[in-house]
Amino acid sequence: MTSDHDMLWDRCALLGRVLLPLVDQDPWRQARRHEHLQAWGIGTALGERLIEVFAALAAHAVAVDASVSAAGFDALPLSAVAESAIGKQDFELLAGLPGTFADGRDELAVKVFRLYTYKGGQHSLQLIRLSREVRHALVILAERAPTPSLTCGGVFRRATETGLPQ
């Protein structure tokens, strides 16, 4: 049986996975992100995976801070997740994560994020840059919303409407 904490992480990870495909509905956004990653010396695949996990970590931090269960995750405002991406220290985003991950890709991406966090130097600068990319992507989604306060559930509904796998 899956614990609520594990289910919460799964919802956070899903938010991270649908983020870039939703933002990339404007094709030029993906090209610009790739240019940024290349200029920063981050491979495209690694950079995009780190953006996904960064978004998941930011959402998880907000949910844990607010004592939100997996069932209540959809009600979290996307603006709170965006602010968490740039407002929390990297090591704060790692607090309270599940001990194991059902998806090996999530576990590997969290380990890479953790390595970047503790290595410092250039890696810390890359995490700062990626945090801005995450915030920017979340703000773009919020601006596209027909309602003034987009929630995580609203992002999932939009992902379903566009045919993204969930």
Side-chain angles (χ1 to χ4, degrees):
M1 186 166 162
T2 305
S3 74
D4 188 64
H5 194 164
D6 292 338
M7 289 189 298
L8 175 62
W9 170 256
D10 291 344
R11 298 297 287 165
C12 296
L14 177 59
L15 179 69
R17 282 193 295 276
V18 301
L19 177 63
L20 293 180
L22 287 173
V23 168
D24 290 348
Q25 289 178 341
D26 298 327
W28 61 271
R29 293 192 188 278
Q30 182 182 50
R32 189 167 79 183
R33 183 177 59 254
H34 290 182
E35 288 172 12
H36 289 162
L37 292 170
Q38 183 180 18
W40 299 334
I42 303 172
T44 302
L46 174 62
E48 290 188 343
R49 186 64 183 125
L50 285 172
I51 288 170
E52 288 177 11
V53 80
F54 210 126
L57 290 167
H60 188 265
V62 171
V64 168
D65 286 352
S67 299
V68 171
S69 67
F73 179 76
D74 288 7
L76 278 180
L78 202 59
S79 60
V81 177
E83 291 310 310
S84 177
I86 61 167
K88 290 197 174 281
Q89 297 291 323
D90 304 333
F91 63 87
E92 291 178 296
L93 296 175
L94 294 168
L97 288 177
T100 59
F101 297 87
D103 184 338
R105 288 185 58 223
D106 288 345
E107 184 172 6
L108 179 60
V110 168
K111 285 180 179 179
V112 170
F113 186 94
R114 186 174 282 128
L115 178 65
Y116 274 39
T117 297
Y118 294 113
K119 236 179 166 183
Q122 181 68 20
H123 293 92
S124 290
L125 177 60
Q126 289 180 337
L127 286 178
I128 290 169
R129 289 173 171 159
L130 291 171
S131 73
R132 291 181 184 145
E133 284 292 315
V134 170
R135 184 182 183 283
H136 181 71
L138 293 167
V139 167
I140 288 167
L141 289 184
E143 288 174 350
R144 288 183 185 164
T147 58
S149 182
L150 184 63
T151 63
C152 292
V155 172
F156 295 143
R157 283 188 292 283
R158 189 174 297 164
T160 300
E161 290 167 3
T162 60
L164 291 174
Q166 294 193 36

